[in-house]
Amino acid sequence: MTAKVIADDVEALAVAATLADEFRAGASERDAERRLPREELERLTASGLLAVTVPAEYGGADVRQETLAEIFRLLAAADASLAQIPQNHFVYVNVIRRQGSPGQQEFFFKEVLAGRRFGNAQSEAGTRHVQDVRTRLEPRPDGSYLLTGVKHYSTGALFADWIPVLARADDDNLNVAYVPRDADGVTVVDDWDGMGQRTTASGTVRLDAVRVPADRVVPHHLTFQGPQLHGAVAQLLHAAIDAGIAAGALAEAVEFVRAKSRPWFESGVDTAAEDPLLIQRFGELALQVRASEALLGVAARAVDAARDELTDDSAAEASIAVAAAKAHTAATAVEVAGALFEVSGTRSALNSLNLHRHWRDARTHTLHDPARWKIQHIGRYVLNGTKPPRHGLL
């Protein structure tokens, strides 16, 4: 594939807005039929959007995180599954930026600019907790490794050219092995059956003694030995997806009530859109959506500021700002997607309309990590000045 190279933030946002309008048209049908968005993902890739965070010295636009968050918000408002697929792509482009050697950066950034996609293979089922990673990199005499393990929730892997795999070496340190999708010993299974985000193909990746050259392994554990934005960047994109789901659900509720809902007979008005109680509820929902979008912008600008001058203090402030945005957007996405039915009436519950996809997407996506722990870290930071931990999930 030949991908366009986007020049700057302005072009990136314009391209994202255009694609979001195109993708919105078929989103409900793709979800209802669980038809994977292969064609749409090819168009997204060809547009150059997946390369917008490549550093300028390697030929990329190196857009601000505020721009990247808005790209994800726009895409998620149109199709939350499609927006979820490249989330880890950007996370693992960032890993190369942070810990890749000059040779690795030159190679992989060229790959991304050419339209190659990163998937992910990081989560494992049945372990003690999310950071109990049991996939292993076994060193070989020639300096290469054998990679063995099973990964779940591997969003993007089915569509990837490269699958970044989170694994531990003999010293138990955490590394990322970048493995070709078609490498011997790699099996990607499309067995995702979640009620929401149904077309992300977030299934299983099996790694059976996969040969990995030394120059395809990045020492990810070094990321957490100093100030870092790895978790903040990843969580910012999750927050943007939640904000997009909320905006998409609100827009669909507005359209439905204007065109199809009937006013309650006691209201004394001719249309549902004139019902004062519905007007009140839409005002409340719009307030929640606007607040989420504002918090998302604040968080993105905090991440950008920290990238410009990374210190313990700036990294902590960015992580807390992102945690606040993520906690609020998660709650807003679920509330607004559920309230869609409250304001629209009985007809909106028809399965044939598939309006419930917004709630299913919101409820599924917001399970990624618990907002209650983010609120704990916010409280500790505000009350006692305790900086958030460097574990990559905040």
Side-chain angles (χ1 to χ4, degrees), residues 104-121:
Q104 289 171 327
Q105 291 177 344
E106 182 177 1
F107 175 80
F108 279 114
F109 289 150
K110 184 181 295 184
E111 286 282 282
V112 173
L113 286 168
R116 309 287 189 267
R117 293 189 290 263
F118 292 168
N120 101 89

Side-chain angles (χ1 to χ4, degrees), residues 86-127:
Q87 191 266 345
N88 278 293
H89 168 89
F90 285 98
V91 169
Y92 285 104
V93 170
N94 194 44
V95 168
I96 294 291
R97 180 177 188 146
R98 174 74 178 181
Q99 295 299 341
S101 68
Q104 289 171 327
Q105 291 177 344
E106 182 177 1
F107 175 80
F108 279 114
F109 289 150
K110 184 181 295 184
E111 286 282 282
V112 173
L113 286 168
R116 309 287 189 267
R117 293 189 290 263
F118 292 168
N120 101 89
Q122 54 185 18
S123 294
E124 300 180 12
T127 56

Side-chain angles (χ1 to χ4, degrees), residues 84 87 234-243 326 329 365 368-369:
Q84 182 63 38
Q87 191 266 345
Q235 292 295 311
L236 180 69
L237 301 186
H238 282 308
I241 291 170
D242 288 339
K326 182 64 175 69
T329 57
H365 183 256
H368 269 84
D369 38 56

Side-chain angles (χ1 to χ4, degrees), residues 99-282:
Q99 295 299 341
S101 68
Q104 289 171 327
Q105 291 177 344
E106 182 177 1
F107 175 80
F108 279 114
F109 289 150
K110 184 181 295 184
E111 286 282 282
V112 173
L113 286 168
R116 309 287 189 267
R117 293 189 290 263
F118 292 168
N120 101 89
Q122 54 185 18
S123 294
E124 300 180 12
T127 56
R128 291 182 299 118
H129 50 70
V130 70
Q131 291 200 317
D132 181 16
V133 176
R134 299 180 184 180
T135 299
R136 309 302 297 190
L137 276 168
E138 179 186 346
R140 291 170 53 88
D142 63 2
S144 66
Y145 298 89
L146 288 181
L147 179 64
T148 301
V150 179
K151 299 289 189 175
H152 299 268
Y153 314 120
S154 302
T155 305
L158 190 69
F159 312 106
D161 299 286
W162 293 90
I163 302 177
V165 181
L166 209 57
R168 295 195 183 277
D170 276 1
D171 55 9
D172 212 37
N173 282 329
L174 206 57
N175 295 271
V176 177
Y178 288 74
V179 177
R181 162 70 176 81
D182 58 358
D184 289 342
V186 174
T187 304
V188 181
V189 185
D190 179 19
D191 57 359
W192 169 243
D193 66 348
M195 68 174 182
Q197 294 198 302
R198 295 170 64 178
T199 62
T200 60
S202 302
T204 302
V205 172
R206 295 191 176 94
L207 307 145
D208 184 15
V210 179
R211 179 81 175 269
V212 183
D215 62 358
R216 297 293 179 262
V217 177
V218 175
H220 190 37
H221 59 97
L222 298 180
T223 299
F224 308 104
Q225 293 183 4
Q228 53 83 35
L229 297 171
H230 176 78
V233 169
Q235 292 295 311
L236 180 69
L237 301 186
H238 282 308
I241 291 170
D242 288 339
I245 293 172
L250 182 62
E252 190 130 29
V254 167
E255 181 180 349
F256 193 95
V257 169
R258 284 175 176 171
K260 299 175 182 178
S261 293
R262 298 181 297 179
W264 184 243
F265 71 95
E266 292 178 286
S267 67
V269 297
D270 294 329
T271 67
E274 298 172 288
D275 185 326
L277 297 184
L278 281 181
I279 288 171
Q280 175 71 22
R281 187 62 175 131
F282 269 99

